[in-house]
Amino acid sequence: MGTGKPAGTIHTTDLDSPSMPTTELPVVYLDLAIGERALGRVEILLRRDVCPKTAENFRALCTGEKGKSKSGGKPLRFKGSPFHRIIPGFMAQGGDFAFGTGAGGESIYGKKFKDENFKLKHGKAGIVSMANGGKNSNSSQFFFTLAERPELDGKHVVFGKVWKGMDVVRKLEKQGTPEGKPKSVVVIADCGELDPVTFEEPPEEDE
């Protein structure tokens, strides 16, 4: 599924090898806005090779292809939902399409699903990770790290990273406060899936 954007290839091995294995990873986008003012697009590389179930949940919530929530009847999609908690230097959290407050949200698998693994780390700004209410309580809520946050390792499932648009994430960060209440309502005005990226080797965490 794509929007006409050419797929990218990360060259890490000899391109002349005829039997070279490849890893194709999904890329999704979030278009952020404050009211009618667009902040820009954030493109996210989803680590389906490490966390396939968690990555698929996020991908499908970007496209809206799973229809409506079984519990609340709302579309299973991020479009129109806000970033309800933004703390500069820490994280920006969104994904509650039910209430927009952090009190709701639902996965494509049901209300909650289990932690998949903790293989990927919160090692820099721009990591995309699942918000939760404790162990095995993942739904649709997620966050961008705004700095390295190793204290979150082993507690939150990392499933992707900002691929393009970190400058937009920094604009989002500027709307934050120490208490977490945003200065302005930043919403996901649109979201969806772009063409995947093909790696000739699985990407390193710091690529």
Side-chain angles (χ1 to χ4, degrees):
M1 184 181 301
T3 60
K5 177 185 174 181
T9 302
I10 305 302
H11 302 282
T12 55
T13 57
D14 182 5
L15 294 178
D16 296 327
S17 173
S19 59
M20 185 187 306
T22 61
T23 300
E24 187 176 271
L25 298 180
V27 177
V28 295
Y29 69 89
L30 305 177
D31 288 337
L32 307 188
I34 298 175
E36 297 298 318
R37 178 167 66 90
L39 290 186
R41 172 170 290 188
V42 181
E43 297 183 15
I44 299 166
L45 180 74
L46 300 179
R47 294 301 303 272
R48 182 172 60 190
D49 57 325
V50 180
C51 295
K53 186 171 185 177
T54 311
E56 176 59 16
N57 179 62
F58 194 85
R59 187 199 66 78
L61 289 171
C62 286
T63 66
E65 65 194 60
K66 299 297 184 180
K68 293 185 177 181
S69 161
K70 293 179 181 179
S71 61
K74 292 193 174 184
L76 287 166
R77 195 178 187 191
F78 292 132
K79 185 175 180 178
S81 64
F83 280 84
H84 61 271
R85 187 176 180 223
I86 308 171
I87 302 175
F90 181 26
M91 62 87 196
Q93 182 175 338
D96 177 4
F97 54 77
F99 304 115
T101 62
E106 185 173 336
S107 80
I108 64 171
Y109 310 113
K111 194 68 177 175
K112 307 286 184 184
F113 68 102
K114 292 183 178 180
D115 297 325
E116 191 165 10
N117 63 60
F118 300 109
K119 292 179 181 179
L120 299 174
K121 308 302 180 184
H122 302 80
K124 62 179 182 178
I127 296 298
V128 190
S129 184
M130 294 299 294
N132 61 46
K135 185 178 180 180
N136 297 321
S137 62
N138 302 286
S139 60
S140 57
Q141 292 191 46
F142 68 95
F143 62 91
F144 296 126
T145 58
L146 301 174
E148 180 181 3
R149 304 303 303 200
E151 73 274 19
L152 302 177
D153 294 346
K155 298 176 183 177
H156 297 268
V157 178
V158 172
F159 62 90
K161 62 182 178 180
V162 174
W163 187 240
K164 294 181 181 179
M166 194 62 203
D167 60 320
V168 180
V169 175
R170 292 303 186 192
K171 292 178 186 178
L172 175 65
E173 180 178 20
K174 289 180 180 179
Q175 297 303 317
T177 63
E179 298 76 28
K181 183 178 180 180
K183 298 173 185 175
S184 303
V185 179
V186 182
V187 301
I188 299 172
D190 199 9
C191 51
E193 186 173 6
L194 300 170
D195 289 333
V197 175
T198 300
F199 290 84
E200 290 156 1
E201 289 179 353
E204 297 295 332
E205 289 185 42
D206 60 352
E207 284 186 349

